[in-house]
Amino acid sequence: MNLALSCTALSKKFGEISALQNINIDVERGELFGVIGPDGGGKTTLFRILATLLIPDDGDAQVLGFDSIKDYLSIRKRIGYMPGRFSLYHDLTVKENLQFYSSVFKVDIEKNYGMIASVYDQLKPFANRRAGKLSGGMKQKLALSCALIHKPELLILDEPTTGVDAVSRIEFWNTLDSLKEDGMTILVSTPYMDEANRCDRIAMIQKGELLYVDSPKSLIDNYSEPLFAASSLDRFVLLNRLEQVPWIDLVYLCGQEVHFVLRDVKHDKLLEYFKKNEWGDVTISQIQPTVEDCFISLMKTR
Amino acid sequence: MRSFTSFVIKEFHHIFRDRKTLIVLFGIPVVQILIFGYVITNNFKDIGIAVMDQSNDIHSKGIQSKVFSSGYFIYKGAIRSEKEIESKFQRGDIRAVLVFPSKFTSDIEGSGSSEIQIITDASDPNLANTVVNYLSGIVRQYQVQKLGNGLQKSMMVVETRMLFNESLKGAYMFVPGTMALILLLICALLTSISVAREKELGTMEVLLVSPLRPAQIILGKVMPYVGLGFINAIVILLMGTLVFQLPISGSLILLMAELLLYIVLSLSLGIFISTMAPNQQVAMFISLFALMLPAVLLSGFIYPIENMPLVLQWLSYIIPPRWFIIIVKDIMLKGNGLEYIWDETLILTGMTVIFIIASIRKFKIRLEG
């Protein structure tokens, strides 16, 4: 069995609201697999099903070769799970939290220290500080240490970088890279599109539906539309104006720029159109799509 | 075992690092006992007393002057015949009548003993009881002063009659009652909140996805509070006996065993509440309104069960403190052994078993149903 996990036709409803619909995902051992999507898309529900915390209404999930409903105890022993919210004990110190989780999993901190050394070493100066008083990035490092201390075969991280500063986010992903090199399978979710590039493969989820599963590279390679970025002094005015242009059919804000897909005409013609309407100083250039562009394109074509 | 021990240690950390929990745990028992004690001993001065002195001699006069110079009592006139006593009470200006028999002094100095009768208005049982205690104390003091300790035979026997409520139900109620309430509060409220807090903070999610078994989680939550609840019970008992002179007439070991049973019952109730409560607010709401209010109102702590409408009397059967208060009163005040309270004990044991089974059945190994 080479698959770390495999979901077949997973569905889950909360009352009338459908949180997941017909999700099929296979993750191979040793993969760094990302689940990307906006808030409320169903990422947390999917992760909770895989962590045996929820029972799907339909379909089935195999985690490390075990059935997520019948063999939940076998799965719980073998995975490391980090929920979306910081869920360690605020009133315990950094060290006490780590000690608690290591004894819950019946492992020695010393013996398994190699596992967490790269993460925990940065926390060492704060070993006696209450976990509630740590910064966001530090909290995530502690939570990761606690999820790793028992050498899990599969690491399930639900939005580990949400609410963490940019530098800590990069550090966090570097840590995931080195864990992956040690052979660990990692399932991670994020609302940040730019983090998708750091995964081997990604699944895009929106409104409980799976939009796409593949590597970020082939996602971008498969993007065939002529994509442009425009910028001017007021990007909101620009957005409104571009929406009225007949040859443009996908316009959206992306950072400081406005991205759009231009069909049928060259962009010279568009510049002429701008001049005719006296829209002033607009710069336009054709660009390579990012994961976010692909996501929006996938979302709109649905 | 190691994971269980560290779970218990973790729980103690939570308790001792949270000021609110500590206040509930150790502040409330002391404050409540003092409040109830204060209410009972409050305003004890200028109590109206009438005297029916049938001998008018040295000792009867001596005792009266002691009584009315003590600051607690006010002289409200003399009574000539027994018939006058009741009408005087009904007018409400006196709380007690002090009755000296004829030939009081000569009896004491001659045969060596005589009787003083204290008749009190026991429609306010607590006050009546206090009046009797104070008057008896003054008489005893007088006896020691005037007749000396050497004269062992000389006895002024104080005989009391509680009018209107002869058996004085309701007296000494506050210590058993407060104990029943405090233990229920601490054990049920704090455990249910502490489980709900784990759910609210999301740590329950991590605990569930760990090799810890539900029984370990439940026991780990319960253990610290068994110890702390027991310490509390002892503090309450000590205050009751030292500050308010409550006797412990029966077996101390039996009392401790019953306390332990009641603590475990309250804890299992708390765990049961926590299986229903998704967050701390709900846990607190259930504990306070669904538990504390019936416990105060229907346990017989404040209002005698005999006086309740029949429906409420039936309802009181499912209130654990009702039975616990009977047990504590029987052991402490009447000195009864297990043979008198086995049925109450059995009821409490049964309730404990029901709550534990229900909790285990309802404990969620996942985040929902």
Side-chain angles (χ1 to χ4, degrees), chain A residues 12 14 48 51-55 68-69 72-73 76-77 79 81 83 85-89 91-93 96 100-108 130, chain B residues 1-4 6-7 10-11 13-15 17-18 197-213 216 365-369:
Chain A
K12 178 80 190 171
F14 294 110
R48 283 180 171 168
T52 75
L53 286 169
L54 288 177
I55 296 179
S68 75
I69 302 168
Y72 71 96
L73 283 179
R76 288 179 181 185
K77 269 177 220 151
I79 61 168
Y81 171 57
R85 257 183 323 156
F86 175 68
S87 41
L88 298 175
Y89 298 101
D91 49 348
L92 298 189
T93 64
E96 284 164 348
F100 174 67
Y101 282 104
S102 68
S103 60
V104 160
F105 282 97
K106 302 185 177 94
V107 292
D108 268 342
R130 301 264 170 100
Chain B
M1 196 58 212
R2 196 186 129 213
S3 42
F4 179 70
S6 67
F7 194 98
K10 169 188 91 77
E11 287 304 315
H13 282 315
H14 290 324
I15 295 165
R17 285 177 188 175
D18 182 24
R197 184 166 54 190
E198 301 244 8
K199 288 186 193 173
E200 212 176 304
L201 292 178
T203 44
M204 192 52 111
E205 236 176 294
V206 184
L207 287 185
L208 287 175
V209 188
S210 80
L212 279 178
R213 311 290 301 129
Q216 282 177 308
I365 53 165
R366 293 190 170 84
L367 287 179
E368 50 152 31

Side-chain angles (χ1 to χ4, degrees), chain B residues 174-287:
Chain B
F174 78 99
V175 170
T178 318
M179 193 148 66
L181 282 186
I182 296 287
L183 292 179
L184 200 68
L185 176 85
I186 284 164
C187 299
L189 182 68
L190 290 185
T191 42
S192 64
I193 283 182
S194 103
V195 175
R197 184 166 54 190
E198 301 244 8
K199 288 186 193 173
E200 212 176 304
L201 292 178
T203 44
M204 192 52 111
E205 236 176 294
V206 184
L207 287 185
L208 287 175
V209 188
S210 80
L212 279 178
R213 311 290 301 129
Q216 282 177 308
I217 296 177
I218 288 180
L219 276 180
K221 284 279 169 198
V222 161
M223 279 293 274
Y225 291 106
V226 172
L228 294 171
F230 205 69
I231 291 173
N232 252 302
I234 288 168
V235 169
I236 297 171
L237 272 183
L238 280 178
M239 288 185 71
T241 48
L242 297 180
V243 182
F244 301 110
Q245 279 84 41
L246 196 73
I248 300 179
S249 331
S251 151
L252 193 62
I253 294 166
L254 180 62
L255 184 62
M256 293 292 160
E258 296 282 357
L259 274 174
L260 207 60
L261 171 66
Y262 184 70
I263 288 168
V264 173
L265 166 63
S266 307
L267 289 170
S268 54
L269 191 56
I271 293 288
F272 181 68
I273 290 172
S274 73
T275 59
M276 301 187 288
N279 57 49
Q280 296 183 69
Q281 274 76 22
V282 177
M284 189 157 359
F285 187 83
I286 298 177
S287 303

Side-chain angles (χ1 to χ4, degrees), chain B residues 38-57:
Chain B
Y38 180 72
V39 165
I40 282 168
T41 51
N42 189 22
N43 287 331
F44 195 80
K45 56 177 189 184
D46 302 340
I47 305 289
I49 283 188
V51 180
M52 185 167 146
D53 193 347
Q54 293 160 320
S55 53
N56 253 322
D57 51 23

Side-chain angles (χ1 to χ4, degrees), chain A residues 228 247 262 265-274 284:
Chain A
F228 290 85
W247 315 291
L262 188 62
V265 292
K266 290 262 159 50
H267 83 279
D268 297 350
K269 189 158 180 202
L270 189 64
L271 286 174
E272 263 174 48
Y273 185 85
F274 286 178
I284 296 173

